[in-house]
Structures are given as structure tokens and as C-alpha cells.
Amino acid sequence: MDGCIRRSVVRAEHGRAASHAVADAGATAVTVPVDVDGSRLPASVAWVVDDCPTARAAQTRTLEAAGIVVSWCASASAFLERYDPDQPGCVLAAIEAPLVHGLDLLARLGGADAPLPVVLTTRHPQFETAVQAFRAGAADVLVTPFGLETARVRLQPLIDRDRARRTARAGRAAILARLALLTARERMVLDGLLEGCTSKEIACGLAISTRTVESHRANLLEKLDAGSTGRALHMVLLATRGGGLRTP
């Protein structure tokens, strides 16, 4: 098959070729690959978990003054029954509160792998406690009562990052769901496009006509709702973190 680029050789050039293909198509201007954005997620909320009514009220007033939606619970068990792990936001859990035991709650939520950022609060700050909290996976440690500036500078960014992380994850999931709709041959064509191959080169490598390749390309663009080849490549590279598709 003279004139054909063998797939094994093209794969060695995958990263560079795919990057050039995306750039040439102008796909770098695409910032949201699919119709998934933060507005589709539930409203972000800061959970205040403290068994002291005075402390809860003070934190709630400060957070609401900073424009943060607040829910509260008087115990860890009540929080675990009420909270939705799919809802963005953060948790403020009191370390010393007998009904909360912030460090224990952090561990029950998964530590650093908790579904949402866990901020431990304390009325009696100690260096050793802070070190223990961060080692256990706490996103931050705050001394209560805290002021409006703390809520805006330290808590709001945590909530915003959590929402952005969930939005990105939802976007990747949407792309992968669309990729699952492709036929085996459409995946092969997309794989070739990711490797930087032209339609003629893909056709030669798959022993099919260029017209058939173009037909598969049109079908996969429609299934991905991409609109253009460059956008499709950008979507796939985002969803697979730069890796190509595995084809049968």
C-alpha cells in the first residue's frame, strides 16, 4: 500500500499530530466542549455542622452575608442523612463538638477524597490539631468565629473550585456517553483523525474508500454533536486527557 501511512508509525506521532490537527481547525477557541455548564448542577451550599446553636448562628450569618447559601446540622449523623454528595459546596465541621467530631466526620467522608471540600472549624486553635487535620485531608482549618473577609477569601474559592471540578467531570462524562454511540468503524476513523491522518490515509489504512471515510466522519460528528472535526478532536482529547481511542 504505497503512499499509506502505517498506523503504527502514525501512533508514534500521535501527540504532536493531534495537537496540530486541533490547532489547525481552530478548536483551541472552544472552552466548553459540550452543552454542560455549572448552571445545570444543583445550587452550591455550605454545610455548617456544629452542635453549638450560637456558633451555628454566627457562621450562618457570616456566610449568608458573603452571599453563600447555607444549610446546617447539629450533628454528624444528621448531616450524613441530609447531604447530597452530588451537590457542590463545602462542609464546615466543628472539631471539638461532641456530636460532630470533625476529624471523625472527615474520615467518614473519605478524607482528601471526600465528595466535597471539608473545612474543620475550631474555637481553640492548636498547631498540632491543624497539622492532624491537613494530614487527614481537610481543605482548610478555620478558627471560629470568623469574619466576612474569611468567608469570601477562603471559603467562596473552595466552593467555586468544587463546582468547576464537578462541571468538568460532567462534561467529560457527557462526551464519553456520546463516544459510546459510535460504531467500531466510526471509532477507527476518529482514531485516525486523532493521529493526524487525512481521510485518504485513513481510507488506505482501513482498505475502504475515501468517500466511505467521509461518511463515517459525518456520522461521528453528528453523534458527538461536534459541528467540526477540530471540535470533535478537542472534545475527545479533553475527555480522555490526551489519550487516543482504543479500537477493536
Side-chain angles (χ1 to χ4, degrees), residues 49-52 74-78 94-102 105 108:
V49 188
D50 198 316
D51 61 11
C52 174
S75 67
S77 59
I95 294 177
E96 297 94 356
L99 297 180
V100 179
H101 293 296
L105 178 57
R108 293 175 69 179

Side-chain angles (χ1 to χ4, degrees), residues 7 188-193 197-208 213 217:
R7 296 173 68 84
M188 291 178 183
V189 170
L190 181 55
D191 197 34
L193 294 172
C197 296
T198 65
S199 294
K200 183 177 180 180
E201 291 164 349
I202 294 172
C204 191
L206 297 178
I208 57 178
V213 170
R217 183 204 294 255

